[in-house]
Amino acid sequence: MGRVQISRNNLRVNIGAFALSVFLFASALLGGVAPSHAFLILDNMVFIGTKSGAAVFKIKNTGDEPEAYRLEWTQLRMKEKGGKEKVAQGETIPGVMAADSYMYVAPRRIMLMPGQVQHVRFMVRRTENMASGEYRSYIVFQPEEIPPTFNPEEATSNSVPAPGKAVAQISMLTGYRIPVFFLHGDTILDVSVKDAVLGRDKSGAPLLNFTFVREGTRSALGGLTVHCTTGDKEVKISSGEIRIFTELESRRYSYLLKNMPEDCVNITLDYLPQSLDPDYNGMAMRLAEIPAG
């Protein structure tokens, strides 16, 4: 079978010439937390490109009571069938370079009043001998118990408890966690789709199953949109988020096509990298076009 390679800068999309009948997120990035905490994360990751040295992340207290958090680093591994697992201290993940030792985060302790928005700043400390590629770690917002003597009028969102001041931790609470990426030097990403099959779910609705393949030195982070061609029109019938980190080469996806028109002729899959990807230009790239019948 032939393969057509479309090149744009250093992002290459490989389209296979499939002879088949036809040919996303979202991995959970947030850990659970006790219902008493009202915590709004205004983005789902931190991403710093090769031409930048810092990024700002926002969080908000949407509740009626003050909230306190401590920021900690951890390392997670993405599993092939979804979800993540914690990596043991000192363990390395093939294909992954940890970001935490190269980063400065401020503030490391946060006190949020009701309705308050807090900016958390991430800064990269690059070195001369760093290897080119993508670096990734996770930052955890670990809830802390606010001391009973807390006085809102004396607190500031960026303050750190003075030495000797106790800040008790609620040890059983699980914190929110988000991935933190930064790129260094030259990176490359190849994406393609294979093993696509159009079937039906238990209710009889069209179901598109396919494998999204990632190759190169950075994660595939973006969105995939499914369109249906009817006559001279393209109708959007499904969309989702694609996330395949550098420890994985591929992931299997299933898209339910509830809005698929009866007169659909072709199904197309378009991939759009996230906005801070080195090759993002606002235009989606077509990965595949397959007969719907």
Side-chain angles (χ1 to χ4, degrees):
M1 296 185 186
R3 291 176 70 86
V4 179
Q5 186 176 79
I6 299 177
S7 297
R8 192 187 74 240
N9 296 331
N10 61 340
L11 177 64
R12 300 193 298 272
V13 181
N14 296 318
I15 303 177
F18 294 98
L20 33 93
S21 57
V22 86
F23 170 95
L24 82 182
F25 115 77
S27 18
L29 299 176
L30 307 182
V33 72
S36 61
H37 283 254
F39 185 75
L40 176 64
I41 289 181
L42 302 180
D43 205 345
N44 57 16
M45 68 177 175
V46 173
F47 192 97
I48 301 173
T50 55
K51 297 180 180 180
S52 177
V56 174
F57 189 82
K58 297 179 183 179
I59 59 175
K60 183 179 181 179
N61 180 2
T62 60
D64 299 323
E65 300 292 334
E67 299 283 352
Y69 294 89
R70 181 181 71 257
L71 277 63
E72 299 177 343
W73 287 105
T74 192
Q75 202 69 28
L76 302 176
R77 175 193 292 109
M78 173 177 275
K79 296 188 288 186
E80 187 173 351
K81 295 184 178 180
K84 300 175 186 66
E85 59 186 5
K86 191 171 182 179
V87 177
Q89 186 74 26
E91 180 185 356
T92 59
I93 312 171
V96 178
M97 294 186 289
D100 56 334
S101 61
Y102 296 96
M103 303 204 74
Y104 172 77
V105 183
R108 294 299 293 265
R109 272 194 165 91
I110 297 171
M111 190 79 75
L112 284 171
M113 302 306 297
Q116 182 178 3
V117 175
Q118 171 68 51
H119 294 71
V120 180
R121 188 169 179 82
F122 292 81
M123 288 158 281
V124 180
R125 295 168 169 169
R126 304 180 191 271
T127 63
E128 294 183 359
N129 58 351
M130 288 177 64
S132 294
E134 176 187 285
Y135 292 73
R136 184 183 95 243
S137 293
Y138 286 77
I139 199 73
V140 178
F141 293 84
Q142 181 65 40
E144 293 190 318
E145 184 179 7
I146 299 176
T149 57
F150 170 68
N151 182 353
E153 295 180 358
E154 296 177 356
T156 62
S157 61
N158 292 320
S159 63
V160 177
K165 256 190 179 177
V167 177
Q169 176 185 351
I170 304 176
S171 58
M172 296 304 292
L173 288 180
T174 301
Y176 300 86
R177 62 178 184 256
I178 58 168
V180 179
F181 304 82
F182 76 83
L183 301 181
H184 182 75
D186 296 327
T187 62
I188 194 168
L189 173 65
D190 294 337
V191 295
S192 60
V193 170
K194 69 176 184 179
D195 300 333
V197 177
L198 181 64
R200 301 277 175 175
D201 69 355
K202 293 181 180 179
S203 68
L207 187 67
L208 180 62
N209 298 293
F210 60 93
T211 299
F212 193 96
V213 180
R214 181 211 66 83
E215 298 177 278
T217 57
R218 67 177 185 265
S219 299
L221 307 171
L224 195 71
T225 305
V226 183
H227 290 88
C228 192
T229 303
T230 59
D232 59 350
K233 296 182 179 179
E234 279 194 353
V235 180
K236 178 180 175 180
I237 55 176
S238 186
S239 63
E241 189 171 14
I242 291 289
R243 289 201 174 194
I244 306 180
F245 297 161
T246 52
E247 59 265 40
L248 297 181
E249 296 181 352
S250 65
R251 290 187 70 186
R252 190 74 176 166
Y253 289 89
S254 295
Y255 278 26
L256 189 62
L257 309 180
K258 290 184 177 181
N259 301 318
M260 181 174 171
E262 293 184 1
D263 57 346
C264 181
V265 177
N266 291 311
I267 293 176
T268 59
L269 285 82
D270 295 338
Y271 174 71
L272 182 66
Q274 59 96 8
S275 61
L276 294 178
D277 187 281
D279 296 286
Y280 174 83
N281 67 357
M283 297 178 61
M285 297 166 291
R286 183 136 297 177
L287 294 185
E289 183 174 346
I290 316 103

